[in-house]
């Protein structure tokens, strides 16, 4: 670990719309979603600036902080110029909007300049110089189409409830030709027009970049002799802005970061010492959980990990996934859920908790809502103060229950 490079003064957040813990957490959410952090993608100046601010903020709360840099190779797909796409049929041209009507498939080969060709179905005999419509992703079929001289592949894709195609930055291996996702209704219109002199023109300035990430570690309280440590974790990175489109990443995962910091601060200042309290704010989760993969093997045995990936809008029950030897941790969480009135539901939580569980640590992942997930609509106003408070209450009650369970044993 390194203690150099990131600590420094950060600009204060604007006035919080709530007082007390809710106001403190909402201030963090608004700060991390600020324009200057540009969506907090791993390895970007905005991501590093966000890490810098978080280190300063943790130090202001009395935590002892360290940072740790790690490499991320071949995992990040970057849009470096706004893609363009249009299609033409019977004298009419439609110019499509990126992320509303089309988006990159992460297997897409680089297509930096506009390329035009007629529309055809992938199973037809004549594919040379054509954009082919396929119903499903198939590397083998796409490689064959590339060998036969196809321009590229178009696949159907739905949108979220607000009409956005959520952004991701890591995915399958790059295909042999450009692959572009098209909104389902437009894909159907193109399919109906295929073979009838319909054409497509598209560019996809997409590249794979190597970069580095930064994990932030903070110790709020060391454990008393014979007591375990609890590590509270959340990833602070996002998918990053597009060249002309903001992705604030307020829910995923500024909300989780805010709740984890507040919970740690409350636990460290509580009157019941015993269990150690530490925080890991992790980078590169959106690139395949590289930050937790780097950290998990070095975590001391016996550490109990609670990971929060989203605390923006609790709809029904909090989703919980356990991994590793997590029986005691689950017992404490169950007690905390009943005490706080937060319903719990077992379900998939594919986040950093899985990396800790795979390394043999007791780990649970908790999710409490991600409105606007990985779209420009993921704004701070969609982060609910009551959900943040519920997340903090659940986590602090879990640690208090662990203290009781540990004392009994």
């Amino acid at each position: 670990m390194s203690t150099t490079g990131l600590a420094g003064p950060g600009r204060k957040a604007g006035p919080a719309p709530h007082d007390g813990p809710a106001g403190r957490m909402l201030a963090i959410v608004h700060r991390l979603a600020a324009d200057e952090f540009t969506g907090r993608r791993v390895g970007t100046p905005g991501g590093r600036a966000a890490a810098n601010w978080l280190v300063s903020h943790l130090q202001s709360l009395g935590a002892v902080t360290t940072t740790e840099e790690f490499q991320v190779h071949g995992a990040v797909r970057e849009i470096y110029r706004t893609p363009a796409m249009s299609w033409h049929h019977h004298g009419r041209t439609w110019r499509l909007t990126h992320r509303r009507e089309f988006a990159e498939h992460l297997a897409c080969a680089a297509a930096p300049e506009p390329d035009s060709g007629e529309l055809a179905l992938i199973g037809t005999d004549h594919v040379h110089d054509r954009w082919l419509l396929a119903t499903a992703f198939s590397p083998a079929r796409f490689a064959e189409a590339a060998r036969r001289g196809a321009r590229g592949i178009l696949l159907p894709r739905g949108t979220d409830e607000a009409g956005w195609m959520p952004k991701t930055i890591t995915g399958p291996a790059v295909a042999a030709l450009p692959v572009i996702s098209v909104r389902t209704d437009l894909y159907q219109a193109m399919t109906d027009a295929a073979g009838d002199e319909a054409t497509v023109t598209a560019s996809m300035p997409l590249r794979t970049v190597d970069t580095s990430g930064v994990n932030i570690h903070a110790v709020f309280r060391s454990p008393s002799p014979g007591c375990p440590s609890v590590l509270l974790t959340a990833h602070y990175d996002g998918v990053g802005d597009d060249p002309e489109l903001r992705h604030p990443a307020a829910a995923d995962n500024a909300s989780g970061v805010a709740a984890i910091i507040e919970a740690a601060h409350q636990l460290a200042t509580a009157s019941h010492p015993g269990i150690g309290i530490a925080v890991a704010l992790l980078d590169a989760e959106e690139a395949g959980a590289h930050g937790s993969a780097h950290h998990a093997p070095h975590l001391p045995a016996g550490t109990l990990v609670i990971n929060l990936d989203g605390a923006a809008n609790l709809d029904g029950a909090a989703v919980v996934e356990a991994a590793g030897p997590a029986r005691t941790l689950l017992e404490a969480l169950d007690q905390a859920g009943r005490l706080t009135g937060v319903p719990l539901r077992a379900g998939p939580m594919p986040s950093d908790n899985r990396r800790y569980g795979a390394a043999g640590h007791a780990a649970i992942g908790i999710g409490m809502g991600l409105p606007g997930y990985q779209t420009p609509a993921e704004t701070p106003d969609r982060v609910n103060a009551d959900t943040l408070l519920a997340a903090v209450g659940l986590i602090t009650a879990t640690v208090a229950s662990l203290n009781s369970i540990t004392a009994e044993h």
Side-chain angles (χ1 to χ4, degrees):
M1 291 186 183
S2 167
T3 58
T4 63
L6 288 177
R11 198 172 68 195
K12 291 184 178 180
H18 294 72
D19 295 327
R24 291 193 293 268
M25 288 187 282
L26 289 170
I28 291 173
V29 171
H30 279 264
R31 190 72 186 89
L32 291 177
D35 290 354
E36 69 186 273
F37 296 153
T38 63
R40 309 189 307 277
R41 202 207 76 196
V42 58
T44 61
R48 293 300 179 104
N52 188 359
W53 182 83
L54 284 166
V55 168
S56 179
H57 183 66
L58 289 164
Q59 290 174 346
S60 76
L61 298 176
V64 178
T65 63
T66 58
T67 61
E68 185 178 21
E69 188 164 342
F70 58 92
Q71 300 303 305
V72 181
H73 295 298
V76 177
R77 297 284 277 161
E78 178 183 76
I79 292 285
Y80 58 91
R81 190 171 63 244
T82 301
M85 186 174 187
S86 62
W87 75 291
H88 184 87
H89 186 226
H90 285 178
R92 186 176 177 185
T93 299
W94 295 265
R95 289 177 174 82
L96 308 187
T97 301
H98 184 226
R99 301 219 180 281
R100 287 288 195 181
E101 296 168 310
F102 78 104
E104 65 279 5
H105 189 287
L106 288 175
C108 185
E113 302 301 328
D115 201 359
S116 300
E118 290 188 15
L119 276 170
L121 303 180
I122 194 169
T124 59
D125 292 334
H126 303 292
V127 302
H128 187 74
D129 285 342
R130 286 169 168 78
W131 283 93
L132 304 181
L133 293 142
T135 58
F137 180 69
S138 173
R141 293 191 77 189
F142 296 175
E144 174 61 22
R147 285 192 292 270
R148 295 174 61 193
R151 294 285 189 189
I153 302 291
L154 304 179
L155 291 169
R157 182 179 176 183
T159 62
D160 69 5
E161 71 282 355
W164 293 102
M165 295 181 179
K167 178 182 179 180
T168 55
I169 61 171
T170 193
V174 177
L177 74 180
V179 183
I180 298 176
S181 299
V182 179
R183 199 177 69 197
T184 305
D185 60 317
L186 295 173
Y187 174 89
Q188 185 57 55
M190 292 178 182
T191 300
D192 294 342
D196 189 26
E197 299 182 356
T199 62
V200 160
T201 301
S203 68
M204 190 55 68
L206 183 66
R207 61 192 173 198
T208 300
V209 297
D210 292 335
T211 188
S212 61
V214 176
N215 287 338
I216 303 165
H217 304 287
V219 176
F220 280 81
R221 186 176 69 203
S222 298
S224 299
C227 293
S229 282
V230 172
L231 178 69
L232 306 181
T233 66
H235 74 90
Y236 70 90
D237 65 304
V239 294
D241 291 350
D242 288 329
E244 299 177 275
L245 195 60
R246 287 242 48 223
H247 286 262
D252 184 22
N253 188 30
S255 65
V257 169
I260 286 295
I261 291 174
E262 179 65 25
H265 182 54
Q266 289 187 18
L267 287 164
T269 55
S271 59
H272 50 81
I275 291 177
I277 304 298
V279 163
L281 301 181
L282 302 161
D283 204 355
E285 192 268 355
E286 302 293 1
H290 283 257
S292 51
H294 180 78
H295 181 226
H298 307 293
L299 192 66
T303 303
L304 307 173
V305 181
I306 301 175
N307 182 72
L308 183 61
D309 197 356
N313 188 18
L314 181 61
D315 183 13
V319 178
V320 176
E321 178 181 291
R327 182 176 177 178
T328 300
L329 192 53
L330 279 174
E331 181 183 348
L333 179 65
D334 181 62
Q335 290 182 10
R338 285 186 273 109
L339 178 66
T340 61
V342 176
L344 306 176
R345 174 175 62 84
M349 271 301 302
S351 187
D352 290 305
N353 44 284
R354 293 186 174 180
R355 295 290 197 176
Y356 290 104
H361 301 290
I364 54 174
I366 302 172
M368 300 176 73
L370 297 172
Y373 176 68
Q374 294 183 345
T375 75
E378 196 185 327
T379 49
D381 60 288
R382 303 189 71 181
V383 176
N384 181 274
D386 288 339
T387 298
L388 290 170
L389 291 169
V392 171
L394 183 65
I395 292 168
T396 55
T398 298
V399 176
S401 295
L402 280 170
N403 235 7
S404 299
I405 293 170
T406 302
E408 290 173 2
H409 295 314

